[in-house]
Amino acid sequence: MAGSRPHVLTRRQFTTRMVAAGASAGILGPLLSSCGGGDDSSSDGGGPIQFWKFVAEGDDPQIEAAIERWNAENADMQVEFQTFPFADYTGTKLTTAFAAGNGPDVFWISPGAFLNYVNTGVSAPVDDLVDKGGYNPASVAAVTVDGAMQALPFEIEPVALFYREDHLADAGLEPPTTWDGLFSAAQELTSGDRKGIIIEVAPGPYQNFTWYPFLWSAGGEVVNEDSTESALRSPEAAAAFDLWGRLVTEGYAPNDNATSTTDIGTLGRGETSMQVCGFWAIAALQEEFADQPINVIPIPAPDGGSPVSVYGGWTQMLNAESPRLDAAKAFTKWLWVDDDVFAEEWACRAGSKFSPREAVNEACADVFGAATHSVFADQILPIARAEPRYPDQVVKAVGDGLQAAMFRGASGEEAAALAADAIDTFLSSYQGAPLNPETT
């Protein structure tokens, strides 16, 4: 479990704890090579609140407008907003900054990096910012360690199966509800350059994120309940690896995607007939492909199983060592809790994301109750689980299993065993908080 927090984390302490907590050598390489130098201390407390995240051209203008309003009303608590290329931000930017004692006061963190920052004592509890009774319980559980919320969840984006009504109608097919139906439809709809379905083939957290619903609907899990060993050595997990492997190796899903499958454009242009994608795609479809016959259903389940979805979403974390922690808390509470204008804009007026706050979702009822949105609200969100907070070693192990199934001819059972072995090796020396949330 995460232990007591140091007053100030030095570079050496931070790096050592990151390694013990599970951060990979790839992420920490620049820090490991510099550990022989002197220890640094945190900044002196002067200046504005530093707020960091990755570049998101569609979202950042909303945040900038909100910060402008905050800064106009809070001369003594100004916010300086900085964004970085996604690969830099999710690579070494944050770890390097924290190791040097220059970490931001406020920053966004993904579920996959969450535990690294909790286990190293970087995160500040945020329980005093919210009324948990008004929040989605699973969202709260996903960021809770030792009974305290270590980040503020602000969005819920479940995953589903989008499909083209015209392609299925031309083939005389109904939307699939089972794995057998999905595979048969993908086979039937593959023609010429068009593949029947598109799934994420590039290894990484997003690939795993979109595969978890298949694993869970089969009854499989990545780790056991107390997070002490892998749970992938099971027929259910093998079946889920096998399904994705066969879709690619038999040619019904592309083995290389021109763009990330987070982009619904492939389906919108008719280059595929089905695509696993998330709630965020609704806004893009309405803006760019409003005239295309596209619909959405829950991700099919194995015969006799029940469909399961997964929802992702970044969270806002506060630097526990920040000399401006009180101001950072005040700004964070205003942005996501007190200022309903921004929260509503973020969720449904400019974007398509459910909020962990029920009050925001109620304010967006006119949008979430409309066609397509309502499928997510009524059928997909109720069956969605939070994205696991697995460290990157676990993410890589699962991804290696998927790559083996899709590209190296491994059976589902062999892929599951490959991933399970790597996870068990990692967990044998892991010293951090439980991988599974304490409550669900």
Side-chain angles (χ1 to χ4, degrees):
M1 304 292 287
S4 59
R5 299 170 183 281
H7 177 63
V8 174
L9 279 176
T10 65
R11 175 188 299 174
R12 185 184 303 279
Q13 289 171 329
F14 178 82
T15 307
T16 301
R17 287 171 181 230
M18 287 290 271
V19 171
S24 70
I27 287 178
L28 296 175
L31 310 183
L32 293 167
S33 64
S34 64
C35 272
D39 289 328
D40 297 310
S41 59
S42 61
S43 54
D44 61 8
I49 300 165
Q50 298 296 315
F51 178 13
W52 288 13
K53 67 178 286 292
F54 53 89
V55 173
E57 294 180 357
D59 293 337
D60 292 343
Q62 302 167 55
I63 299 174
E64 290 165 351
I67 291 174
E68 185 174 347
R69 288 193 288 118
W70 165 270
N71 284 344
E73 299 171 3
N74 296 275
D76 58 338
M77 292 188 289
Q78 296 288 286
V79 172
E80 185 172 289
F81 183 50
Q82 295 187 65
T83 60
F84 305 90
F86 187 82
D88 293 346
Y89 187 79
T90 56
T92 60
K93 185 65 185 179
L94 274 176
T95 50
T96 302
F98 276 105
N102 295 318
D105 308 297
V106 179
F107 56 101
W108 282 15
I109 205 74
S110 70
F114 171 79
L115 284 181
N116 289 341
Y117 288 84
V118 173
N119 290 339
T120 49
V122 167
S123 61
V126 297
D127 302 77
D128 53 338
L129 305 187
V130 300
D131 173 9
K132 294 182 185 178
Y135 268 70
N136 178 298
S139 296
V140 172
V143 296
T144 296
V145 175
D146 289 345
M149 292 175 66
Q150 299 293 335
L152 186 66
F154 56 79
E155 59 187 12
I156 294 177
E157 299 176 299
V159 169
L161 181 69
F162 291 77
Y163 67 94
R164 291 196 61 105
E165 295 173 319
D166 52 346
H167 290 190
L168 270 67
D170 290 345
L173 298 173
E174 294 294 324
T177 59
T178 67
W179 284 8
D180 287 345
L182 178 72
F183 193 87
S184 296
Q187 182 180 29
E188 184 75 18
L189 293 165
T190 295
S191 176
D193 293 335
R194 190 183 78 191
K195 299 296 186 183
I197 187 171
I198 181 171
I199 54 178
E200 184 57 62
V201 295
Y206 182 73
Q207 182 187 45
N208 297 11
F209 171 67
T210 53
W211 177 74
Y212 290 140
F214 294 85
L215 172 70
W216 294 337
S217 67
E221 296 288 343
V222 174
V223 297
N224 64 358
E225 187 173 356
D226 58 1
S227 309
T228 56
E229 62 182 17
S230 175
L232 286 174
R233 295 184 189 84
S234 69
E236 294 81 9
F241 278 111
D242 185 67
L243 175 65
W244 272 42
R246 290 176 59 214
L247 285 170
V248 172
T249 58
E250 298 188 25
Y252 308 134
N255 58 17
D256 185 25
N257 300 319
T259 60
S260 166
T261 58
T262 59
D263 181 359
I264 199 66
T266 307
L267 186 72
R269 294 186 294 273
E271 297 167 5
T272 186
S273 301
M274 301 181 288
Q275 181 170 344
V276 176
C277 199
F279 189 42
W280 60 86
I282 297 294
L285 286 172
Q286 291 180 334
E287 182 176 345
E288 301 177 43
F289 303 103
D291 60 340
Q292 297 300 306
I294 294 174
N295 211 330
V296 62
I297 55 173
I299 290 176
D303 284 343
S306 298
V308 181
S309 184
V310 61
Y311 68 81
W314 291 73
T315 62
Q316 188 155 312
M317 187 172 277
L318 306 183
N319 180 355
E321 303 302 330
S322 167
R324 297 173 286 272
L325 180 56
D326 289 343
K329 281 190 171 185
F331 166 69
T332 295
K333 184 173 185 293
W334 174 83
L335 185 67
W336 293 112
V337 180
D338 296 337
D339 186 69
D340 287 335
V341 172
F342 173 74
E344 191 173 323
E345 282 286 320
W346 183 262
C348 64
R349 304 303 170 196
S352 53
K353 320 164 193 287
F354 294 111
S355 172
R357 286 180 59 207
E358 291 304 323
V360 177
N361 293 332
E362 291 171 2
C364 291
D366 60 314
V367 176
F368 293 160
T372 310
H373 284 84
S374 64
V375 176
F376 274 95
D378 298 338
Q379 300 181 38
I380 299 170
L381 182 60
I383 60 172
R385 292 172 50 176
E387 181 180 0
R389 57 190 195 188
Y390 300 144
D392 54 354
Q393 279 89 348
V394 176
V395 171
K396 183 177 184 305
V398 173
D400 287 347
L402 286 167
Q403 295 297 301
M406 292 189 292
F407 299 110
R408 297 199 295 276
S411 67
E413 185 176 0
E414 291 168 339
L418 174 71
D421 288 347
I423 291 170
D424 284 342
T425 298
F426 165 69
L427 290 176
S428 66
S429 59
Y430 176 69
Q431 300 175 26
L435 274 55
N436 289 321
E438 296 164 15
T439 58
T440 58

